[in-house]
Amino acid sequence: MVQAIKWVGEVVPAAPYVTTLETLDKYNCDFCVHGNDITLTVDGRDTYEEVKQAGRYRECRRTQGVSTTDLVGRMLLVTKAHHSSQEMSSEYREYADSFGKCPGGRNPWTGVSQFLQTSQKIIQFASGKEPQPGETVIYVAGAFDLFHIGHVDFLEKVHRLAERPYIIAGLHFDQEVNHYKGKNYPIMNLHERTLSVLACRYVSEVVIGAPYAVTAELLSHFKVDLVCHGKTEIIPDRDGSDPYQEPKRRGIFRQIDSGSNLTTDLIVQRIITNRLEYEARNQKKEAKELAFLEAARQQAAQPLGERDGDF
């Protein structure tokens, strides 16, 4: 999954949890980067302590509103408050903000904040390249919810269909996805799904809020050469028609078997099954981070000559 992110050059499987200078040197890395939240060892030490002391550490600010905690909360609460047209209720906001946190916890890195999409964020993720002469324009469409390895396997297979592919992914509106998926799907709203798909190295462009039916106008506008769909069931349009009838009529429709059995539904079922274990893990992590923060505050409050290492 990480290898499919277009900014990743190489993946090191089973990397050590504590990053050392030895690891950086082994893989010819000048420095390591982490978000501005903390990660601790079991004994409460900063996992990046060694590389920080050596000046080979860089930090990025976490993106507000992008939170695994929030996504899991949406699955467990079966709420639609995250959909782009829905107003977040005060009850959901209160529950989501305390989800999986230890009693009295006020950790700045855990909890839920609203994700605010901006044009600058999209520009940072988008390639900005238009199809070039000789490239095969391939159109795929769907929810691409909880963007996962099943989606990546599918897109990789589609990418292999042409020597020079230009893949356009159409993302359906939240209300459209909810219509054919039901429950509280999509778990990720349209803005979040857009960035997830744009980050994939196999995708060249995204249609934000694509029509459910692949129309003649859409095919002509993007000069589409091929339309692909996975092996999942094709739900008829609201009028009962086949949403892929136009590309099928033109003879440019292909069904692709990704070879993966992972689905968004399966991920949600895993989370629900492991709910208690997940909440206990979150609370334990929160308590450890709060203890670290308190120790850091006490250290900072001590007179200069009394601090550790000053004698």
Side-chain angles (χ1 to χ4, degrees):
M1 187 72 200
V2 175
Q3 186 65 72
I5 298 172
K6 61 187 178 184
W7 301 287
V8 174
E10 183 182 351
V11 170
V12 178
Y17 185 64
V18 176
T19 304
T20 63
L21 294 174
E22 181 185 0
T23 300
L24 293 187
D25 292 339
K26 181 178 179 181
Y27 297 103
N28 300 313
C29 297
D30 297 305
F31 52 84
C32 73
V33 182
H34 193 260
N36 62 342
D37 54 328
I38 57 172
T39 58
L40 304 172
T41 62
V42 288
D43 58 355
R45 295 180 70 87
D46 184 351
T47 56
Y48 294 96
E49 185 176 55
E50 182 178 324
V51 291
K52 283 179 179 178
Q53 290 174 353
R56 294 173 66 179
Y57 175 83
R58 303 289 186 274
E59 199 165 84
C60 293
R61 211 157 42 87
R62 275 188 63 179
T63 304
Q64 282 292 101
V66 178
S67 162
T68 309
T69 304
D70 186 19
L71 293 178
V72 171
R74 295 175 194 178
M75 297 177 214
L76 298 179
L77 292 169
V78 198
T79 176
K80 295 182 185 179
H82 55 281
H83 292 171
S84 53
S85 67
Q86 302 284 334
E87 185 68 31
M88 187 183 290
S89 68
S90 57
E91 290 83 6
Y92 172 70
R93 189 181 295 277
E94 181 180 350
Y95 187 91
D97 194 43
S98 63
F99 178 76
K101 298 176 77 174
C102 67
R106 298 194 180 277
N107 186 345
W109 302 296
T110 305
V112 175
S113 59
Q114 188 177 3
F115 174 66
L116 300 175
Q117 182 70 283
T118 65
S119 58
Q120 187 58 41
K121 278 198 182 78
I122 294 177
I123 289 168
Q124 288 172 340
F125 278 65
S127 68
K129 296 177 182 176
E130 295 187 351
Q132 301 301 307
E135 289 185 328
T136 302
V137 178
I138 306 174
Y139 182 75
V140 298
F144 291 98
D145 194 16
L146 294 180
F147 195 69
H148 53 74
I149 195 65
H151 296 132
V152 169
D153 287 343
F154 166 70
L155 290 168
E156 185 180 12
K157 290 278 181 68
V158 171
H159 194 268
R160 291 178 185 170
L161 293 176
E163 189 175 334
R164 295 176 59 201
Y166 184 96
I167 298 176
I168 301 174
L171 301 189
H172 300 145
F173 281 115
D174 296 342
Q175 294 71 31
E176 193 68 64
V177 176
N178 189 249
H179 172 74
Y180 64 77
K181 287 278 289 180
K183 298 180 184 176
N184 66 325
Y185 290 111
I187 302 301
M188 297 173 75
N189 64 42
L190 181 59
H191 300 313
E192 295 163 337
R193 291 184 283 125
T194 296
L195 294 191
S196 295
V197 176
L198 277 174
C200 180
R201 66 172 69 248
Y202 305 116
V203 175
S204 304
E205 181 64 287
V206 166
V207 180
I208 305 171
Y212 185 64
V214 182
T215 61
E217 289 81 7
L218 185 148
L219 295 174
S220 300
H221 178 81
F222 291 109
K223 298 180 173 59
V224 175
D225 299 304
L226 194 61
V227 176
C228 295
H229 187 271
K231 289 292 186 179
T232 54
E233 180 187 4
I234 298 175
I235 308 296
D237 205 348
R238 293 172 190 264
D239 61 1
S241 63
D242 181 352
Y244 290 97
Q245 63 183 1
E246 181 60 27
K248 285 178 180 178
R249 186 186 69 78
R250 297 188 184 194
I252 60 171
F253 178 79
R254 293 273 295 274
Q255 252 192 317
I256 305 297
D257 186 355
S258 70
S260 173
N261 62 357
L262 186 63
T263 63
T264 302
D265 287 322
L266 186 56
I267 292 174
V268 172
Q269 287 305 315
R270 287 181 185 176
I271 294 293
I272 291 172
T273 302
N274 292 284
R275 171 176 186 162
L276 294 178
E277 183 181 336
Y278 176 84
E279 290 186 343
R281 188 217 69 161
N282 241 34
Q283 290 170 3
K284 185 178 178 182
K285 179 174 180 286
E286 174 98 6
K288 192 162 63 172
E289 289 170 352
L290 286 170
F292 179 89
L293 278 176
E294 183 57 33
R297 275 194 287 264
Q298 291 179 4
Q299 177 85 350
Q302 288 178 357
L304 189 60
E306 294 180 13
R307 295 184 191 173
D308 292 342
D310 286 341
F311 294 104

